[in-house]
Amino acid sequence: MADSMISAFESSLDKTNLILKDIENAYGWPKDRRNQSYAALRTVLHLLRDRLPVNESVEFAQQLPVLVRGIYFDGWVPSDVPIKLNRDDFLYEVRQGFPYDAEGGPERVTQVVLDTLRRHVTQGEWQDVKDTMPKDLAMMMP
């Protein structure tokens, strides 16, 4: 039992590191900039989570590695969602939550994280998420 729990934790850690590495690779950041890739992931995840209806948010989270799911749900108040954010609002909030200067600004940060997340969930679930977004925001999603 203990071995399977350690294995599950290690698997989640490996998958989380893969997601962070995908973000870093998109920017050409070395691993020592892990704080930036984490901040980008966390910021976009929280905005996506807060934009989604509760049921869809939970369904999406089920496909994330356990560690990323913890980041996703950290500080979540289901009674306060969904928050209406259009593309401009979303990008403004990314800029507020991501305190680093990155090539392409908040739009590129958002695009990189969304592209990364898309590769780590099923096509059907990603389409469900995309379908809940306003058109201008959905256009940014792969």
Side-chain angles (χ1 to χ4, degrees):
M1 176 80 163
D3 287 342
S4 66
M5 289 178 64
I6 290 171
S7 178
F9 178 77
E10 287 174 351
S11 174
S12 179
L13 184 60
D14 289 344
K15 290 174 184 176
T16 300
N17 279 324
L18 181 61
I19 290 170
L20 294 170
K21 187 176 180 179
D22 285 352
I23 293 167
E24 291 158 4
N25 286 342
Y27 273 105
W29 293 338
K31 186 178 179 180
D32 66 359
R33 292 179 71 180
R34 181 62 45 105
N35 285 341
Q36 285 183 229
S37 57
Y38 169 76
L41 177 64
R42 184 177 191 282
T43 299
V44 173
L45 274 175
H46 282 189
L47 289 167
L48 197 60
R49 171 201 74 191
D50 290 346
R51 180 61 185 88
L52 291 170
V54 171
N55 288 344
E56 186 56 44
S57 188
V58 171
E59 289 174 15
F60 173 70
Q62 289 174 336
Q63 294 198 9
L64 301 172
V66 172
L67 191 55
V68 175
R69 197 176 316 148
I71 296 165
Y72 182 80
F73 284 123
D74 183 43
W76 190 44
V77 181
S79 61
D80 292 348
V81 299
I83 296 171
K84 300 298 181 196
L85 296 170
N86 63 27
R87 180 186 179 278
D88 291 339
D89 297 333
F90 197 96
L91 294 175
Y92 174 81
E93 294 298 331
V94 169
R95 183 67 200 132
Q96 299 308 304
F98 183 74
Y100 302 96
D101 288 325
E103 180 183 326
E107 186 166 352
R108 174 97 168 105
V109 169
T110 301
Q111 192 66 60
V112 165
V113 173
L114 292 175
D115 287 346
T116 299
L117 290 172
R118 167 56 203 104
R119 290 191 300 273
H120 293 274
V121 300
T122 65
Q123 177 63 38
E125 183 55 43
W126 190 253
Q127 191 60 51
D128 288 348
V129 168
K130 194 173 176 178
D131 288 347
T132 68
M133 297 293 143
K135 288 183 182 185
D136 62 344
L137 189 52
M139 289 176 55
M140 291 183 65
M141 301 177 75

